């Protein structure tokens, strides 16, 4: 088996309109920069080194995969993804040519770029075009060249459209002082004694699919479809089932059904003839999609768009893929940030066919529109919280979603390519919210609740501070048996102290914007964050001791003596970064650790950092240097499921979604489980102070219902 020889470090190569940077393993064309996956980089490098000849599939297997056998689907997928990566408005034509029964060859010209033509990464734009281009099939038509005169005309039309809509956009600015208000009246349209979840609407909004779990009678779910015109419910299936998506005409519902609760054996099914008395259920068309890895599946004509996890080998990172049922070609169409959980399909629109999806980053989410092959990507909006559901209005040619934290209906006009004025529309706390129009909302009422468990590390006893009218979160165990926690109502916070089974509202001292994110070991200082400002507060009177302006979203913080460490999402790159601060000076030190996710103090000077690496890291806060931390397999095996960490002077606490482990810092051996949640409860945060571990968690098992909200009396 031969060994491929790739391009040397420090060199660049002009590949068509793309500049290939060997060190960064990236390409850019002056407008776009794309980082190539290791496999795609190796594949492109091999094509470059063998330019001018046809490379067989066998040769690719031996030199790229370096195996004796590779499945044909894997080769097809890699070639398709490389073609997609090499496609842009500047490079629209064919890049990798297929030679029937022979192999592939590079179809782009090569040359060494002059020094002055090198493009600096900081000048690159993140959006491909200001307006989505018509979608193309995932077949040979994707490879047709655009003529130069058509491209010039398109640029002129786009420029004219942007100019024409620049003035009207001013009149619909969301900064206007007069906010529209919509009074909605709620009507319960489905109520069974159980848990409604997994709500899905087809693009035409004629039906609603949902699962219902009867918590008293059975552990599995019923899958229903409701005809929204006559409100009739149809039972589709029962068992370990969940809806995956719809066909674009709303005539087929796709779902999966598993043989047991661990979802180890599942099949994909489709239901049709939903309005008849004889619902037709059959297996979905057989293709290469791995069932266990797919959590969404929608069909738009002959193209299936689905969501698959384990992108880049990360368990909870999801990307969207397209599958052409007529040709069997599969193509990854989105490239999510590693600092987040990836991309989530929202809806599709037609004429031309395009998809709308949401990118779930740490600290914020983004809504995008793109063609079915992932091209012409356009970011439409950025939100502080996830949307999870959106619909398209043909009447107004706009995308609509509900901001549950600001209690307002947001919309984006695809005519003006502008956000429209938000409309305030208070409703009940909701799990899913689908706008049927700009004046009607379909919701499932909230099945979530937040609670806090306080584990006494000396006595190994746990107390919960749940109350019926509060949603407790972000708790801290302070001195003198005081427990701090906050509750959230929309974007506003309320702050509480619990002592001797009494609750004291301290919101007037902290305000509704500040979020308390940490406390020092003596509980004399609190760390707060709001409006891009980080503050150290006196725990007695809440006066400000020290403050910093942080122009990014802070995700996690830890304070030790005079040192503060924070993990934040960089507003420009959208990547996680780690910063070190000192309460006694204005020094700021940014670590170059790649994608830190969580941290905890190891001692007075060093931090344990959980990053995307296979091992934990030790960061010296004095020298800003780090090294790998050697841990036994029992700790390393926890890392892929780890969501956060905390520590006191002797112990490191590792939290997964449902369990907390402790490890002695002096040995870093033998993790032991100290806190475990019941099913359908999920840990969101942990803090350890004063020999008490505060565990904030989310419960998802409250009984709920489906409501339809319609306009009652609008006021302006």
């Amino acid at each position: 088996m031969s060994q491929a020889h790739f391009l040397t470090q420090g060199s660049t190569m002009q590949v068509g309109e793309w500049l290939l940077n060997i060190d960064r393993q990236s390409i850019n064309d002056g407008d776009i920069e794309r980082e190539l996956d290791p496999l795609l980089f190796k594949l492109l490098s091999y094509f470059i080194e063998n330019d001018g000849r046809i490379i067989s599939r066998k040769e690719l297997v031996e030199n790229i995969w370096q195996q004796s056998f590779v499945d044909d689907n894997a080769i097809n997928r890699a070639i398709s993804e490389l073609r997609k990566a090499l496609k842009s408005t500047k490079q629209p034509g064919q890049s990798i040519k297929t030679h029937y029964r022979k192999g592939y060859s590079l179809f782009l010209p090569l040359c060494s770029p002059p020094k002055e033509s090198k493009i600096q990464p900081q000048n690159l734009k993140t959006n491909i075009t200001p307006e989505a281009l018509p979608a193309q099939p995932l077949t040979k038509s994707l490879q047709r060249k655009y003529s130069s005169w058509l491209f010039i005309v398109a640029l002129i039309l786009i420029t004219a459209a942007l100019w024409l809509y620049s003035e009207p956009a001013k009149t619909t600015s969301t900064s206007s002082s007069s906010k529209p208000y919509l009074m909605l009246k709620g009507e319960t349209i489905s109520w069974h004694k159980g848990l409604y979840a997994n709500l899905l609407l087809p693009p035409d909004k004629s039906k609603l699919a949902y699962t219902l779990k009867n918590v008293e009678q059975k552990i599995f779910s019923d899958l229903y479809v409701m005809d929204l015109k006559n409100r009739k419910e149809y039972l589709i299936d029962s068992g370990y089932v969940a809806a995956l998506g719809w066909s674009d005409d709303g005539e087929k519902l796709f779902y999966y059904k598993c043989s047991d609760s661990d979802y180890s054996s599942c099949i994909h099914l489709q239901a049709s003839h939903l309005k008849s008395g004889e619902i037709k259920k059959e297996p979905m068309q057989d293709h290469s999609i791995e069932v266990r890895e797919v959590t969404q599946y929608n069909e738009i004509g002959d193209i299936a768009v689905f969501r698959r996890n384990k992108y880049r080998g990360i368990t909870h990172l999801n990307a969207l893929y397209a599958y052409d049922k007529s040709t069997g070609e599969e193509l990854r169409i989105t490239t999510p940030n590693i600092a987040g959980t990836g991309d989530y399909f929202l809806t599709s629109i037609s004429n031309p066919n395009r998809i709308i999806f949401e990118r779930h980053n740490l600290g914020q989410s983004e809504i995008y529109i793109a063609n079915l092959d992932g091209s012409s990507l356009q970011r439409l909006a950025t939100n502080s919280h996830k949307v999870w559901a959106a619909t398209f209005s043909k009447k107004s040619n706009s995308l609509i979603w509900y901001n549950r934290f600001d209690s307002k209906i947001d919309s984006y006009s695809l005519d003006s390519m502008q956000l429209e004025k938000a409309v305030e529309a208070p409703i009940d706390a909701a799990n899913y919210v689908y706008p049927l129009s700009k004046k009607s909302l379909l919701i499932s009422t909230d099945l979530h609740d937040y609670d806090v468990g306080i584990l006494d590390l000396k006595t190994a006893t746990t107390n919960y501070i749940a109350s019926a009218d509060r949603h407790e979160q972000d708790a801290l165990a302070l001195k003198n048996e005081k427990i701090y926690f906050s509750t959230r109502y929309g974007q506003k916070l309320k702050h509480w102290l619990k002592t001797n089974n009494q609750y004291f509202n301290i919101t007037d001292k902290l305000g509704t914007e500040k979020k308390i994110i940490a406390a020092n070991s003596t509980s004399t200082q609190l760390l707060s964050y709001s409006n891009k400002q980080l503050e150290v507060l006196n725990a007695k009177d809440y006066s400000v001791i020290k403050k910093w302006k942080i122009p990014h979203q802070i995700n996690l913080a830890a304070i030790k003596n005079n040192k503060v460490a924070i993990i934040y999402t960089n507003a420009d790159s959208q990547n996680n970064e780690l910063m070190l601060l000192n309460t006694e000076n204005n020094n700021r030190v940014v670590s170059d650790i790649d994608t830190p996710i969580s941290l905890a103090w190891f001692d007075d000077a060093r931090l344990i950092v959980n990053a995307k690496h296979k091992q934990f890291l030790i960061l010296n806060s004095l020298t800003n240097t780090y090294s790998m931390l050697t841990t036994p397999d029992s700790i390393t095996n926890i890392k892929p499921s780890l969501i956060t960490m905390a520590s006191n002077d002797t112990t490191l606490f590792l939290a997964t979604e449902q369990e907390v482990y402790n490890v002695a810092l002096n040995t870093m051996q033998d993790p032991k489980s100290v806190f475990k949640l019941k099913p359908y409860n999920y840990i969101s945060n942990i803090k350890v102070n004063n020999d008490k571990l505060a565990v904030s968690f989310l419960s998802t098992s409250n009984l709920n219902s489906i409501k339809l909200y319609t306009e009652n009396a609008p006021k302006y």
Side-chain angles (χ1 to χ4, degrees):
M1 192 176 298
S2 61
Q3 176 71 33
H5 173 71
F6 296 113
L7 302 176
T8 59
Q9 292 184 342
S11 62
T12 58
M13 174 67 68
Q14 193 73 39
V15 185
E17 296 295 327
W18 298 101
L19 181 68
L20 172 66
N21 187 307
I22 307 303
D23 292 340
R24 294 170 59 89
Q25 296 191 10
S26 66
I27 56 175
N28 64 61
D29 67 354
D31 289 331
I32 308 163
E33 182 179 31
R34 290 176 180 158
E35 180 183 347
L36 298 177
D37 288 348
L39 175 62
L40 297 191
F41 175 74
K42 290 177 67 177
L43 196 59
L44 177 59
S45 299
Y46 197 77
F47 276 121
I48 291 172
E49 291 194 343
N50 294 274
D51 183 39
R53 70 181 186 88
I54 299 173
I55 302 170
S56 68
R57 298 169 72 89
K58 180 180 179 181
E59 183 179 344
L60 290 176
V61 169
E62 292 176 349
N63 291 280
I64 302 301
W65 281 268
Q66 298 184 351
Q67 298 176 14
S68 58
F69 173 78
V70 174
D71 185 73
D72 282 347
N73 287 329
I75 300 174
N76 293 342
R77 188 158 51 243
I79 294 294
S80 295
E81 290 197 10
L82 181 58
R83 284 171 173 159
K84 188 251 179 179
L86 293 173
K87 186 176 181 180
S88 71
T89 53
K90 287 187 176 181
Q91 186 66 68
Q94 184 171 224
S95 56
I96 305 297
K97 185 175 181 179
T98 299
H99 301 267
Y100 184 63
R101 292 187 177 181
K102 294 181 180 180
Y104 306 95
S105 66
L106 184 66
F107 201 66
L108 299 177
L110 300 177
C111 66
S112 298
K115 292 183 179 181
E116 63 272 16
S117 68
K118 291 186 178 181
I119 304 168
Q120 299 302 317
Q122 59 266 29
N123 294 329
L124 299 175
K125 301 176 183 177
T126 56
N127 292 337
I128 296 178
T129 62
E131 191 168 344
L133 297 174
Q136 301 294 331
L138 298 174
T139 54
K140 291 183 179 180
S141 62
L142 289 173
Q143 303 170 358
R144 294 176 183 170
K145 294 185 179 180
Y146 295 94
S147 60
S148 59
W149 69 266
L150 187 59
F151 181 68
I152 293 170
V153 170
L155 285 177
I156 293 172
L157 290 174
I158 291 171
T159 304
L162 291 175
W163 179 82
L164 284 172
Y165 288 115
S166 62
E167 289 303 315
K170 294 178 182 178
T171 64
T172 60
S173 171
T174 56
S175 63
S176 172
S177 58
S178 58
K179 289 185 177 180
Y181 181 85
L182 186 64
M183 185 174 290
L184 296 172
K185 182 179 180 180
E187 172 194 3
T188 299
I189 62 173
S190 181
W191 186 90
H192 300 276
K193 198 171 183 180
L195 310 178
Y196 288 87
N198 192 218
L199 271 64
L200 287 177
L201 276 179
D204 67 357
K205 296 176 280 191
S206 62
K207 308 176 188 71
L208 175 69
Y210 51 88
T211 55
L212 177 68
K213 180 184 291 294
N214 189 317
V215 293
E216 291 186 352
Q217 298 180 9
K218 52 193 176 185
I219 60 173
F220 54 81
S221 300
D222 293 324
L223 176 60
Y224 284 93
V225 166
M226 176 186 286
D227 187 321
L228 293 177
K229 292 182 179 179
N230 57 29
R231 312 266 179 93
K232 187 174 180 179
E233 295 176 303
Y234 300 87
L235 178 62
I236 304 300
D237 212 332
S238 297
Y240 300 105
V241 294
L244 291 168
W246 289 91
S247 59
D248 56 346
D249 58 7
E251 295 302 315
K252 293 180 183 178
L253 173 69
F254 306 103
Y255 67 100
Y256 67 81
K257 185 174 184 179
C258 304
S259 59
D260 48 41
S261 59
D262 65 2
Y263 303 98
S264 59
S265 178
C266 304
I267 57 173
H268 276 165
L269 298 168
Q270 65 185 37
S272 57
H273 302 82
L274 300 176
K275 294 182 181 180
S276 69
E278 298 180 1
I279 297 173
K280 185 178 181 181
K281 295 182 290 186
E282 57 187 341
M284 284 168 49
Q285 181 180 348
D286 185 29
H287 49 65
S288 63
I289 299 176
E290 172 60 42
V291 173
R292 291 185 63 189
E293 297 178 359
V294 173
T295 53
Q296 288 183 297
Y297 179 95
N298 296 270
E299 289 189 357
I300 306 159
D302 286 333
I303 306 300
V305 176
F306 63 95
R307 181 179 188 242
R308 175 188 284 155
N309 60 17
K310 296 183 181 180
Y311 175 59
R312 290 193 174 184
I314 301 173
T315 303
H316 301 298
L317 188 59
N318 296 272
L320 297 181
Y321 297 77
Y323 178 82
D324 191 323
K325 295 190 298 179
S326 63
T327 66
E329 183 182 7
E330 180 181 309
L331 177 70
R332 178 171 55 80
I333 57 176
T334 69
T335 305
N337 299 322
I338 196 170
T341 56
D343 298 333
Y344 185 88
F345 178 90
L346 293 176
T347 190
S348 64
I349 60 178
S350 58
N351 297 322
N353 288 332
R354 287 174 284 177
I355 61 168
I356 309 289
F357 67 92
E358 183 176 28
R359 177 156 294 163
H360 295 167
N361 300 315
L362 286 176
Q364 68 175 25
S365 74
E366 300 166 318
I367 296 178
Y368 288 89
I369 187 171
N371 291 333
L372 298 188
D373 62 355
S375 64
S376 298
L377 182 70
Q378 170 95 26
R379 183 170 59 192
L380 305 183
T382 299
N383 298 304
S384 59
H385 296 87
K386 298 178 180 67
V387 170
W388 292 108
T391 59
F392 176 71
S393 170
K394 291 184 179 179
K395 183 178 179 180
S396 62
N397 195 30
S398 59
L399 183 73
I400 315 171
W401 65 93
Y402 187 76
N403 186 326
R404 291 174 292 175
F405 296 90
D406 281 342
S407 299
K408 63 183 183 180
I409 299 173
D410 285 322
S411 58
Y412 187 95
S413 170
L414 295 183
D415 289 327
S416 65
M417 300 305 286
Q418 296 271 346
L419 277 169
E420 299 177 310
K421 181 177 288 187
V423 178
E424 291 189 21
I427 60 172
D428 287 347
N431 182 30
Y432 278 82
V433 183
Y434 278 103
L436 296 181
S437 69
K438 292 184 179 181
K439 296 182 179 180
S440 176
L441 299 171
L442 185 69
I443 80 166
S444 60
T445 55
D446 203 359
L447 50 75
H448 299 93
D449 186 25
Y450 289 91
D451 191 14
V452 172
I454 305 295
L455 172 65
D456 190 313
L457 300 176
K458 291 183 177 180
T459 64
T461 57
T462 302
N463 293 312
Y464 296 89
I465 61 174
S467 56
D469 58 343
R470 301 186 184 94
H471 300 279
E472 301 85 356
Q473 55 185 323
D474 296 325
L476 293 167
L478 305 178
K479 278 187 172 182
N480 303 320
E481 301 301 315
K482 292 181 179 180
I483 305 298
Y484 162 84
F485 66 91
S486 65
T487 56
R488 183 180 293 277
Y489 297 87
Q491 290 284 57
K492 304 298 183 182
L493 288 171
K494 288 186 178 180
H495 304 274
W496 304 83
L497 280 180
K498 178 181 180 292
T499 179
N500 297 326
N501 292 321
Q502 290 184 303
Y503 293 86
F504 299 93
N505 191 329
I506 57 172
T507 308
D508 60 332
K509 299 177 181 179
L510 289 169
T512 60
E513 305 294 332
K514 288 183 180 179
K515 181 178 181 181
I516 304 300
I517 54 179
N520 64 353
S521 59
T522 60
S523 297
T524 58
Q525 296 179 347
L526 304 175
L527 202 62
S528 75
Y529 174 72
S530 68
N531 298 323
K532 298 183 179 179
Q533 185 159 285
L534 182 68
E535 296 177 341
V536 178
L537 307 178
N538 186 313
K540 288 185 177 180
D541 59 8
Y542 308 106
S543 59
V544 178
I545 299 172
K546 178 74 175 179
K547 61 183 177 181
W548 302 269
K549 200 72 175 175
I550 308 293
H552 310 284
Q553 174 65 44
I554 296 178
N555 306 314
L556 193 67
I559 182 170
K560 184 84 168 182
N561 301 326
N562 64 330
K563 301 180 181 66
V564 176
I566 62 172
I567 291 177
Y568 60 91
T569 302
N570 188 294
D572 298 321
S573 66
Q574 293 302 310
N575 291 326
N576 269 19
E577 296 178 359
L578 191 155
M579 181 185 292
L580 299 168
L581 304 164
N582 194 307
T583 60
E584 297 177 351
N585 56 48
N586 293 320
N587 294 341
R588 300 185 185 205
V589 178
V590 177
S591 168
D592 62 356
I593 291 176
D594 185 14
T595 318
I597 300 170
S598 56
L599 56 81
W601 286 100
F602 185 76
D603 54 31
D604 287 348
R606 294 179 295 171
L607 288 148
I608 298 176
V609 181
N610 174 32
K612 71 174 185 178
H613 304 279
K614 292 183 179 179
Q615 290 180 279
F616 292 95
L617 303 175
I618 284 284
L619 172 65
N620 189 317
S621 65
L622 302 177
T623 62
N624 192 25
T625 58
Y626 61 90
S627 59
M628 294 290 183
L629 174 64
T630 302
T631 57
D633 290 343
S634 57
I635 295 178
T636 304
N637 292 339
I638 296 174
K639 189 178 185 301
S641 303
L642 189 65
I643 61 170
T644 191
M645 303 188 296
S647 65
N648 56 21
D649 291 337
T650 61
T651 308
L652 174 68
F653 296 88
L654 306 170
T656 64
E657 284 188 338
Q658 292 190 313
E659 198 162 3
V660 180
Y661 303 85
N662 70 355
V663 182
L665 285 170
N666 60 348
T667 64
M668 292 299 292
Q669 299 284 333
D670 302 325
K672 294 180 174 59
S673 176
V674 295
F675 185 94
K676 190 172 184 177
L677 291 175
K678 297 178 181 179
Y680 310 113
N681 294 335
Y682 303 93
I683 294 171
S684 58
N685 206 350
I686 62 172
K687 302 289 182 185
V688 58
N689 295 87
N690 302 297
D691 294 318
K692 289 182 174 61
L693 177 71
V695 182
S696 300
F697 63 92
L698 174 69
S699 169
T700 62
S701 57
N702 293 329
L703 301 183
N704 65 338
S705 62
I706 294 178
K707 283 188 174 183
L708 176 63
Y709 277 85
T710 53
E711 181 183 21
N712 187 22
K715 291 188 275 186
Y716 293 96

